[in-house]
Amino acid sequence: MTLSAAAKEPVKATSMDVDEQKLSYNPESELNVVSYDKSESVNESFESKLETVNQVVNTLSKSFDVRIEEVNKNQDDIKNLLVKQNSLMEKHNTYIRMQWAHGHCEMGSFQFKECNDYHNHNPMNSTKLAREAIGWFMIGKGMLISRKFVMVDFDSYARKKEGVSETGRSEFRHNFKGHLRKLIGKEPRVEKISNESFSIW
């Protein structure tokens, strides 16, 4: 081998080593690393966006709950307002009816007496008594009525001997309630206060 040929041998060998290294290089491994890095980045980006979406959804949910609560409160306020308005209208209509009844107490009136064991008073008309009762009703109060009031057709002679019968008293109270019912549109209540009087309201 000549000197020039020997000098060229190492260079050839080195060239061959490089070629072998090039041949042993695997580009897929680098691709895998790059793909893995890109996948991690995509996952992080997705999780970040998902977290943002969840925050927005939670915020909207809370806002929606608040608005529902406000709507329910407004509905309750409207219901309470309607109840108060209906109550005021009912009171107003009742007062108007009372005013009318106060001026028409002669309608449905009847005759009665005030009497006890020893006295038999002259018959009276229930118009005045009804007007007085309605006057008290108009200011939200009741009125006392005597237990001595009886119907005029009750036997006065029997009363003198036996005292004022409860039958005559109950007949008067029944008729008086009926008189007021025709005027005001509903029957008033009667309650015993003592042996001498009843309240009507």
Side-chain angles (χ1 to χ4, degrees), residues 12-50:
K12 182 178 180 183
T14 303
S15 176
M16 288 179 62
D17 291 341
V18 172
D19 290 341
E20 288 177 358
Q21 290 178 1
K22 287 183 179 180
L23 289 174
S24 64
Y25 173 71
N26 185 4
E28 291 184 358
S29 63
E30 183 177 352
L31 181 61
N32 290 337
V33 172
V34 173
S35 299
Y36 178 78
D37 292 342
K38 286 185 178 180
S39 176
E40 284 291 323
S41 177
V42 169
N43 287 338
E44 291 177 0
S45 176
F46 178 77
E47 289 177 357
S48 176
K49 289 183 179 180
L50 182 61

